[in-house]
Coordinates of all heavy atoms in Angstrom, one line a residue:
D1 N 27.9 -23.3 27.5 CA 28.9 -22.6 28.4 C 29.4 -21.3 27.7 O 29.7 -21.4 26.6 CB 30.1 -23.5 28.8 CG 29.6 -24.7 29.5 OD1 28.8 -24.6 30.5 OD2 30.1 -25.8 29.2
T2 N 29.5 -20.3 28.5 CA 30.1 -19.0 27.9 C 31.6 -19.2 27.8 O 32.2 -19.4 28.8 CB 29.7 -17.8 28.8 OG1 28.2 -17.7 28.8 CG2 30.2 -16.5 28.2
V3 N 32.1 -19.0 26.6 CA 33.6 -19.1 26.4 C 34.2 -17.7 26.6 O 35.2 -17.5 27.3 CB 33.9 -19.6 25.0 CG1 35.3 -19.5 24.7 CG2 33.3 -21.0 24.8
S4 N 33.5 -16.6 26.1 CA 34.0 -15.3 26.2 C 32.9 -14.3 26.1 O 31.8 -14.6 25.5 CB 35.1 -14.9 25.2 OG 34.6 -14.9 23.9
E5 N 33.0 -13.1 26.6 CA 32.0 -12.1 26.6 C 32.7 -10.7 26.6 O 33.6 -10.5 27.3 CB 31.0 -12.2 27.7 CG 29.8 -11.3 27.6 CD 28.8 -11.6 28.6 OE1 29.0 -12.5 29.5 OE2 27.7 -11.0 28.5
F6 N 32.2 -9.8 25.7 CA 32.7 -8.4 25.7 C 31.5 -7.5 25.6 O 30.5 -7.7 24.9 CB 33.5 -8.3 24.4 CG 33.8 -6.8 24.1 CD1 34.8 -6.1 24.8 CD2 33.1 -6.1 23.1 CE1 35.0 -4.8 24.5 CE2 33.3 -4.8 22.9 CZ 34.3 -4.1 23.5
K7 N 31.6 -6.4 26.4 CA 30.6 -5.3 26.3 C 31.3 -4.0 26.2 O 32.3 -3.8 27.0 CB 29.7 -5.3 27.6 CG 28.8 -6.5 27.7 CD 27.9 -6.3 28.9 CE 27.0 -7.6 29.1 NZ 26.2 -7.5 30.3
S8 N 31.0 -3.2 25.3 CA 31.6 -1.9 25.2 C 31.2 -1.0 26.4 O 30.2 -1.3 27.0 CB 31.2 -1.2 23.9 OG 29.9 -0.9 23.8
E9 N 32.0 0.0 26.6 CA 31.7 0.9 27.8 C 30.3 1.6 27.7 O 29.6 1.7 28.7 CB 32.8 2.0 27.9 CG 34.1 1.4 28.4 CD 35.1 2.5 28.7 OE1 34.7 3.7 28.9 OE2 36.3 2.2 28.6
D10 N 29.9 2.0 26.5 CA 28.6 2.6 26.3 C 27.5 1.6 26.1 O 26.3 2.0 26.0 CB 28.7 3.6 25.1 CG 28.9 2.9 23.8 OD1 29.1 1.7 23.8 OD2 28.9 3.6 22.7
G11 N 27.8 0.3 26.1 CA 26.7 -0.7 26.0 C 26.2 -0.9 24.6 O 25.3 -1.7 24.4
A12 N 26.8 -0.2 23.6 CA 26.2 -0.4 22.3 C 26.6 -1.7 21.6 O 25.9 -2.2 20.8 CB 26.7 0.8 21.4
V13 N 27.8 -2.2 22.0 CA 28.2 -3.5 21.4 C 28.3 -4.6 22.5 O 28.9 -4.3 23.6 CB 29.6 -3.3 20.7 CG1 30.1 -4.6 20.2 CG2 29.5 -2.2 19.6
H14 N 27.8 -5.7 22.2 CA 27.8 -6.9 23.1 C 28.1 -8.1 22.3 O 27.3 -8.5 21.4 CB 26.5 -7.0 23.8 CG 26.5 -8.1 24.9 ND1 25.3 -8.5 25.5 CD2 27.5 -8.8 25.4 CE1 25.6 -9.5 26.3 NE2 26.9 -9.6 26.3
V15 N 29.2 -8.8 22.6 CA 29.6 -10.0 21.9 C 29.8 -11.1 22.9 O 30.4 -10.9 23.9 CB 31.0 -9.7 21.1 CG1 31.4 -11.0 20.4 CG2 30.9 -8.6 20.2
I16 N 29.1 -12.2 22.6 CA 29.2 -13.3 23.5 C 29.5 -14.6 22.7 O 28.9 -14.8 21.6 CB 27.9 -13.5 24.4 CG1 28.1 -14.6 25.4 CG2 26.7 -13.7 23.5 CD1 27.1 -14.5 26.5
E17 N 30.4 -15.4 23.1 CA 30.7 -16.7 22.5 C 30.4 -17.8 23.4 O 30.8 -17.8 24.6 CB 32.2 -16.7 22.1 CG 32.6 -17.8 21.1 CD 34.0 -17.6 20.6 OE1 34.7 -16.7 21.0 OE2 34.3 -18.4 19.7
R18 N 29.7 -18.8 22.9 CA 29.3 -20.0 23.7 C 29.7 -21.3 23.0 O 29.7 -21.4 21.8 CB 27.8 -20.0 23.8 CG 27.2 -18.8 24.6 CD 25.7 -19.0 24.7 NE 25.1 -18.0 25.5 CZ 24.5 -16.9 25.0 NH1 24.5 -16.8 23.7 NH2 24.0 -16.0 25.7
R19 N 29.9 -22.3 23.9 CA 30.1 -23.7 23.4 C 28.8 -24.4 23.7 O 28.4 -24.5 24.9 CB 31.3 -24.3 24.1 CG 31.6 -25.7 23.6 CD 32.9 -26.2 24.3 NE 33.3 -27.4 23.6 CZ 33.2 -28.6 24.2 NH1 32.8 -28.7 25.5 NH2 33.6 -29.7 23.6
C20 N 28.1 -24.8 22.7 CA 26.8 -25.4 22.8 C 26.9 -27.0 22.6 O 27.6 -27.5 21.8 CB 25.8 -24.8 21.8 SG 25.7 -23.0 22.0
K21 N 26.0 -27.6 23.3 CA 25.9 -29.1 23.3 C 24.5 -29.5 22.8 O 23.5 -29.0 23.3 CB 26.1 -29.6 24.7 CG 26.0 -31.1 24.9 CD 26.3 -31.4 26.4 CE 26.2 -32.9 26.7 NZ 26.5 -33.1 28.2
L22 N 24.5 -30.3 21.8 CA 23.2 -30.8 21.2 C 23.2 -32.3 21.2 O 24.2 -33.0 21.1 CB 23.2 -30.4 19.7 CG 23.2 -28.9 19.3 CD1 23.1 -28.8 17.8 CD2 22.0 -28.3 19.9
D23 N 22.0 -32.8 21.4 CA 21.7 -34.2 21.4 C 21.1 -34.5 20.0 O 20.0 -34.0 19.6 CB 20.7 -34.7 22.4 CG 20.5 -36.2 22.5 OD1 21.2 -36.9 21.8 OD2 19.6 -36.6 23.2
V24 N 21.8 -35.2 19.2 CA 21.4 -35.5 17.8 C 20.3 -36.6 17.8 O 20.5 -37.6 18.5 CB 22.6 -35.9 16.9 CG1 22.2 -36.3 15.5 CG2 23.7 -34.9 17.0
D25 N 19.3 -36.4 17.0 CA 18.2 -37.3 16.9 C 18.7 -38.4 15.9 O 18.4 -38.3 14.7 CB 17.0 -36.6 16.4 CG 15.8 -37.6 16.4 OD1 15.8 -38.6 17.1 OD2 14.8 -37.3 15.7
A26 N 19.4 -39.4 16.5 CA 19.9 -40.5 15.6 C 19.8 -41.8 16.5 O 19.8 -41.8 17.7 CB 21.3 -40.3 15.2
P27 N 19.7 -42.9 15.8 CA 19.6 -44.2 16.5 C 20.9 -44.4 17.4 O 22.0 -44.0 17.0 CB 19.5 -45.3 15.4 CG 19.0 -44.5 14.3 CD 19.5 -43.1 14.4
R28 N 20.8 -45.1 18.5 CA 21.9 -45.3 19.4 C 23.1 -46.0 18.7 O 24.2 -45.7 18.9 CB 21.4 -46.2 20.6 CG 22.5 -46.5 21.6 CD 22.6 -45.3 22.5 NE 23.6 -45.6 23.6 CZ 24.5 -44.8 23.9 NH1 24.6 -43.6 23.4 NH2 25.4 -45.1 24.8
L29 N 22.8 -47.0 17.8 CA 23.8 -47.7 17.1 C 24.6 -46.8 16.2 O 25.8 -46.8 16.1 CB 23.2 -48.8 16.2 CG 24.2 -49.7 15.4 CD1 25.2 -50.4 16.3 CD2 23.4 -50.7 14.6
L30 N 23.9 -45.8 15.5 CA 24.6 -44.9 14.7 C 25.5 -44.0 15.5 O 26.7 -43.6 15.1 CB 23.6 -44.0 13.9 CG 24.2 -43.0 12.9 CD1 25.1 -43.7 11.9 CD2 23.1 -42.3 12.2
K31 N 25.1 -43.6 16.7 CA 25.9 -42.7 17.6 C 27.1 -43.5 18.1 O 28.2 -42.9 18.2 CB 25.1 -42.3 18.8 CG 24.0 -41.3 18.5 CD 23.3 -40.9 19.8 CE 22.3 -39.8 19.6 NZ 21.6 -39.4 20.8
R32 N 27.0 -44.8 18.3 CA 28.1 -45.6 18.7 C 29.1 -45.7 17.6 O 30.3 -45.7 17.8 CB 27.7 -47.0 19.1 CG 27.2 -47.1 20.5 CD 27.0 -48.5 20.9 NE 27.2 -48.7 22.3 CZ 26.9 -49.8 23.0 NH1 26.4 -50.8 22.3 NH2 27.1 -49.8 24.3
I33 N 28.7 -45.9 16.3 CA 29.6 -46.0 15.2 C 30.3 -44.7 15.0 O 31.5 -44.7 14.8 CB 28.8 -46.4 13.9 CG1 28.2 -47.8 14.0 CG2 29.6 -46.2 12.7 CD1 27.2 -48.2 12.9
A34 N 29.6 -43.6 15.2 CA 30.3 -42.3 15.0 C 31.2 -41.9 16.2 O 32.0 -41.1 16.1 CB 29.2 -41.2 14.9
G35 N 30.9 -42.6 17.4 CA 31.7 -42.4 18.5 C 31.4 -41.2 19.4 O 32.2 -40.7 20.1
V36 N 30.1 -40.7 19.2 CA 29.7 -39.5 20.0 C 28.3 -39.7 20.5 O 27.5 -40.4 19.9 CB 29.7 -38.2 19.1 CG1 31.2 -37.9 18.7 CG2 28.8 -38.3 17.9
D37 N 28.0 -39.1 21.6 CA 26.7 -39.1 22.1 C 26.1 -37.7 21.9 O 24.9 -37.5 21.8 CB 26.6 -39.4 23.6 CG 26.8 -40.8 23.9 OD1 26.3 -41.7 23.1 OD2 27.5 -41.2 24.9
Y38 N 26.9 -36.7 21.9 CA 26.5 -35.3 21.7 C 27.3 -34.6 20.6 O 28.5 -35.0 20.4 CB 26.6 -34.5 23.0 CG 25.8 -35.1 24.1 CD1 26.4 -35.8 25.1 CD2 24.4 -35.0 24.2 CE1 25.7 -36.4 26.2 CE2 23.7 -35.5 25.2 CZ 24.3 -36.2 26.2 OH 23.6 -36.8 27.2
V39 N 26.8 -33.6 20.0 CA 27.5 -32.8 19.1 C 27.8 -31.4 19.7 O 26.9 -30.8 20.3 CB 26.7 -32.6 17.8 CG1 27.4 -31.7 16.8 CG2 26.5 -34.0 17.1
Y40 N 29.0 -30.9 19.6 CA 29.3 -29.6 20.1 C 29.6 -28.6 19.0 O 30.2 -29.0 17.9 CB 30.6 -29.7 21.0 CG 30.4 -30.5 22.2 CD1 30.6 -31.9 22.2 CD2 29.9 -29.9 23.4 CE1 30.4 -32.6 23.4 CE2 29.7 -30.6 24.5 CZ 29.9 -32.0 24.5 OH 29.7 -32.8 25.7
F41 N 29.2 -27.4 19.2 CA 29.5 -26.3 18.2 C 29.8 -25.0 19.0 O 29.4 -24.8 20.1 CB 28.5 -26.1 17.2 CG 27.2 -25.6 17.7 CD1 26.9 -24.2 17.6 CD2 26.2 -26.4 18.2 CE1 25.7 -23.7 18.0 CE2 25.0 -25.9 18.6 CZ 24.7 -24.6 18.6
I42 N 30.5 -24.1 18.3 CA 30.8 -22.8 18.9 C 29.9 -21.8 18.2 O 29.7 -21.7 17.0 CB 32.2 -22.4 18.7 CG1 33.2 -23.4 19.3 CG2 32.5 -21.0 19.2 CD1 33.1 -23.5 20.8
Q43 N 29.2 -20.9 19.0 CA 28.3 -19.9 18.5 C 28.7 -18.6 19.0 O 29.0 -18.4 20.2 CB 26.9 -20.2 18.9 CG 25.9 -19.1 18.4 CD 24.5 -19.4 18.9 OE1 24.3 -19.6 20.1 NE2 23.5 -19.2 18.0
K44 N 28.8 -17.6 18.1 CA 29.2 -16.2 18.5 C 28.1 -15.3 18.1 O 27.8 -15.2 16.9 CB 30.5 -15.8 17.8 CG 31.1 -14.5 18.1 CD 32.4 -14.2 17.4 CE 32.9 -12.8 17.6 NZ 34.1 -12.6 16.9

C-alpha cells in the first residue's frame, strides 16, 4: 500500500513510501509461536 508519494514540479525527484506485506517461508507452527502470519516492512 502506498503510504506517501511526492513528485517535484519538474519531475526530477520522485519519492514513494510503501507498506509491504511478505509471507515468510516458515512452518505453520513457528508462525503460531511468533504470533504472525505475515511480516510487514516500510520501503521508501
Side-chain angles (χ1 to χ4, degrees):
D1 296 315
T2 300
V3 175
S4 65
E5 187 169 9
F6 166 80
K7 291 182 183 178
S8 64
E9 287 185 25
D10 64 358
V13 177
H14 185 191
V15 179
I16 187 163
E17 191 169 10
R18 295 183 178 97
R19 183 172 190 251
C20 302
K21 179 179 177 181
L22 298 176
D23 185 10
V24 178
D25 186 21
R28 182 82 178 133
L29 181 59
L30 185 57
K31 288 182 180 182
R32 278 191 152 168
I33 292 169
V36 297
D37 286 323
Y38 302 103
V39 174
Y40 293 91
F41 69 95
I42 302 295
Q43 181 184 43
K44 180 179 177 183

